[in-house]
Amino acid sequence: MTAAARGAPRWWVFRGRHVLLRERWTADPHADPDDPRPSGPLPDPPGGIRLRIAVPVDSGLASPDPPGEGPHDPAQLVTGEEPPAPEGYGWVDLRVAAAWLGDDLFRRAGRAWQLLEWHRSHRFCGVCGNPTAPGPYDALTCTVCDHLHFPRLSPAVIVLVHDGDRVLLGRGRHLPEGMYSTLAGFVEPGESLEEAVHREIREEADVTLTDLRYFGSQPWPFPHSLMVGFLARWAGGAPHPADGELEAVEWFRKDALPRIPGRVSIARSLIDAWRAGAGT
Ligand SMILES: [Zn+2]
């Protein structure tokens, strides 16, 4: 795929959290929604464009960027009752599609979906209650008082806690059967990222930390998170589900890990990095 092809704006069409993709992307037999890695790299179709939308779809909302003109991919949100996919296309949950799309396209699809969700859920001004309309800088402008409403972003910390050979993983209630993941929580007003890490881990698992190290970050458009990843060493406390957010929190050794999140998530990147020796 050429840089020009990758950079060209393309349409994304969504139905709820499902994105419309060409059928070849939806027919993969390895499309386990909990671990959606395909068995090998998917071939690029002729022309080098992995995804295109060229069908008329009933649109409830259009992006402020017309196709080909804006710096970002335009997108449409499909409204109405469960419209069937056009011939040759299928609806795929964006979380599942993430692994197939790869980092670059997932980032773009996630951005498109996040902005659509922002527009869908902020149709009225929070200051004066009148309708909003697309404005500059991805913002929505109030049609009466001109207040600018910028897209909502919710920073969250996600932390791999280890004590060398063991990693502390938790079972959130939303996770698939048997899956454990790194601990995470939203940053609160007035709090630094580091303070959020210490507070969240203390609240969720009743342990204290030391040797906190920044790892990396990942936009996570479900619906508007920015995940900020850290590695930290356990300093004290017997882990247990302390505030009811987790069903279980347990130590696991590198050679006996439970089911863990798929490769698209920063949780998995943190676990893979620790397995490779990071932080220890
Ligand atoms: Zn207003």
Side-chain angles (χ1 to χ4, degrees), residues 117 123 146 187 247:
E117 271 300 297
R123 292 180 297 146
D146 291 333
V187 181
E247 289 179 350

Side-chain angles (χ1 to χ4, degrees), residues 16 53 60 63 86 88 115 122 149 154 163 167 169 179 196-197 227 234:
I53 300 299
S63 159
L115 288 175
H122 290 79
H149 300 268
S154 300
D163 74 344
V167 65
L169 300 177
M179 183 181 286
V197 168
M227 307 301 293
W234 172 80

Side-chain angles (χ1 to χ4, degrees), residues 77-154:
L77 191 66
V78 177
T79 58
E81 290 184 15
E82 301 288 308
E87 180 77 23
Y89 291 82
W91 296 108
V92 187
D93 187 302
L94 186 55
R95 285 180 196 249
V96 176
W100 305 350
L101 292 172
D103 287 344
D104 179 58
L105 286 175
F106 173 57
R107 188 74 61 93
R108 296 170 67 162
R111 175 188 163 77
W113 189 79
Q114 198 167 330
L115 288 175
L116 281 175
E117 271 300 297
W118 161 249
H119 283 209
R120 187 187 65 80
S121 58
H122 290 79
R123 292 180 297 146
F124 298 96
C125 176
V127 176
C128 73
N130 282 291
T132 57
Y137 319 117
D138 293 330
L140 290 167
T141 310
C142 177
T143 53
V144 173
C145 78
D146 291 333
H147 189 87
L148 278 181
H149 300 268
F150 288 93
R152 181 176 175 187
L153 277 179
S154 300

Side-chain angles (χ1 to χ4, degrees), residues 1-3 5-6 10 22 24-25 40-51 100-102 104-105:
M1 184 178 290
T2 66
R6 292 178 74 89
R10 68 200 78 200
R22 294 168 85 169
R24 61 184 304 150
W25 289 70
L42 291 169
D44 280 347
I49 305 295
R50 280 186 167 180
L51 183 144
W100 305 350
L101 292 172
D104 179 58
L105 286 175

